[in-house]
Amino acid sequence: PALGESFSFLHSSFISSFWGGGRNSLTVLEGMGFRVGQGLAERLPRGALAFREELDTIKFLCRDLWGAVFRKQTDNLRTNHQGTYVLQDNNFPLLTQMAWGQQYLEETPKFLAFTCGLLRGTLSALGIESSVTASVASLPACKFQVVIQKA
Amino acid sequence: MAVCIAVIAKENYPLYIRSIPAEHELKFHYTVHTSLDVVDEKVSAMGKALVDQRELYLGLLYPTEDYKVYGYVTNSKVKFVMVVDSSNTALRDNEIRSMFRKLHNSYTDVMCNPFYNPGDRIHSRAFDNMVTSMMVQVC
């Protein structure tokens, strides 16, 4: 728990320090997440190359990656079986500290950019290129949409 | 104790390669390069077999009359190749596995280093020291 709080604090600190405004900051945050994701992809899957299918890799994200970073699993996973996956977290740890509901909807993109990059980086290191976007209807629940790039 | 250790990126170029003694370096580079085909074969063979657990350790890739070559592949498709002297019969499978595990752990540390860009050659001193400890002591 203490580790989770310090990550959350660190995360909000660099969001506020980057916030000169504009699209650039979101890209920087996403880029940081990407690089961390690459490192995590090497460290986390202990042992077998058990990802025979794409779906296995996404499930790994929902269970193991979320577990390692946020100490919980995602609450829901949906797919259209054609390369699009939606990971849903009803109680996203990086958003829980803000007022619940819709008061801060505008601020959420900067709090989700790093995590989008994290997902994209981990997938990339595991051999899957994707694009990841996040959306919030009402804090602290959010959804991450992963679209796999077809070669 | 290995005579040559190499780390190969998933695009099949070397990220790190070290061999002892230095004058046979070119020969070892060539050996490692040819072993990559065997690695690819093994990896794709494992992909087709319906096993639940796919191993990272690939085992003996091929023996030559002087050397044995072992392989290991990580989840990010980075390959480790180790060349061992054939005359060193004391080296058992378990020991090779544990050497690869150490390599993997050190490589993971390099990967998590924010100053390291994935795809660059590895210059980490810690990684160097770990590899030195695994290589044959010459004189």
Side-chain angles (χ1 to χ4, degrees):
Chain A
L3 201 59
E5 278 162 24
S6 37
F7 173 66
S8 189
F9 178 64
L10 185 64
H11 182 252
S12 358
S13 305
F14 58 67
I15 286 178
S16 58
S17 77
F18 278 123
W19 209 244
R23 308 277 339 143
N24 244 352
S25 315
L26 283 180
T27 320
V28 169
L29 285 167
E30 208 263 359
M32 288 166 74
F34 183 82
R35 182 66 187 89
V36 174
Q38 288 181 309
L40 278 179
E42 199 61 56
R43 212 178 262 293
L44 284 186
R46 267 306 146 204
L49 291 164
F51 308 138
R52 273 180 296 129
E53 295 176 3
E54 211 168 72
L55 187 58
D56 288 326
T57 317
I58 306 288
K59 286 189 195 166
F60 160 78
L61 293 182
C62 295
R63 286 194 291 254
D64 301 300
L65 183 71
W66 235 250
V69 182
F70 303 116
R71 320 241 151 194
K72 66 188 288 281
Q73 299 187 4
T74 58
D75 296 306
N76 200 339
L77 171 67
R78 280 200 218 93
T79 175
N80 67 357
H81 292 292
Q82 281 171 5
T84 300
Y85 301 85
V86 178
L87 288 73
Q88 185 171 332
D89 192 329
N90 294 329
N91 206 347
F92 193 54
L94 296 176
L95 294 178
T96 47
Q97 302 303 316
M98 293 184 266
W100 290 25
Q102 318 209 307
Q103 184 177 358
Y104 290 110
L105 268 186
E106 277 179 19
E107 312 291 328
T108 54
K110 44 185 156 172
F111 285 88
L112 299 171
F114 181 88
T115 310
C116 290
L118 188 71
L119 287 168
R120 191 169 66 88
T122 308
L123 284 171
S124 165
L126 294 173
I128 299 178
E129 294 304 321
S130 63
S131 90
V132 183
T133 51
S135 64
V136 182
S138 171
L139 278 76
C142 64
K143 296 188 185 159
F144 294 92
Q145 178 169 292
V146 178
V147 179
I148 311 287
Q149 320 282 38
K150 291 298 171 195
Chain B
M1 296 289 139
V3 291
C4 172
I5 290 182
V7 178
I8 316 283
K10 78 172 156 194
E11 295 89 356
N12 286 335
Y13 63 87
L15 293 172
Y16 185 90
I17 181 161
R18 205 133 127 232
S19 49
I20 287 190
E23 63 255 19
H24 292 312
E25 204 175 317
L26 202 57
K27 175 175 77 172
F28 287 128
H29 281 231
Y30 179 70
T31 310
V32 168
H33 190 253
T34 50
S35 68
L36 290 179
D37 283 328
V38 187
V39 172
D40 281 337
E41 256 179 54
K42 289 218 171 204
V43 170
S44 56
M46 284 199 302
K48 294 199 185 88
L50 287 174
V51 282
D52 282 322
Q53 284 259 329
R54 288 200 307 175
E55 281 257 8
L56 298 177
Y57 174 66
L58 301 172
L60 183 65
L61 297 179
Y62 69 89
T64 67
E65 50 179 54
D66 300 317
Y67 302 106
K68 298 198 201 138
V69 185
Y70 293 89
Y72 182 101
V73 65
T74 71
N75 280 308
S76 51
K77 300 287 177 287
V78 167
K79 300 157 245 242
F80 302 141
V81 177
M82 197 185 298
V83 182
V84 185
D85 209 304
S86 272
S87 58
N88 197 342
T89 48
L91 260 186
R92 284 177 15 242
D93 204 56
N94 277 348
E95 287 165 20
I96 307 271
R97 275 177 198 263
S98 80
M99 282 160 85
F100 273 126
R101 218 179 352 255
K102 279 207 299 194
L103 257 180
H104 193 177
N105 287 337
S106 279
Y107 174 73
T108 307
D109 288 337
V110 169
M111 204 41 187
C112 291
N113 180 353
F115 297 110
Y116 170 74
N117 292 318
D120 287 353
R121 300 214 64 158
I122 296 176
H123 292 296
S124 152
R125 229 177 316 171
F127 192 80
D128 270 336
N129 291 342
M130 186 269 323
V131 170
T132 310
S133 72
M134 292 202 287
M135 302 201 66
V136 178
Q137 313 303 320
V138 180
C139 70

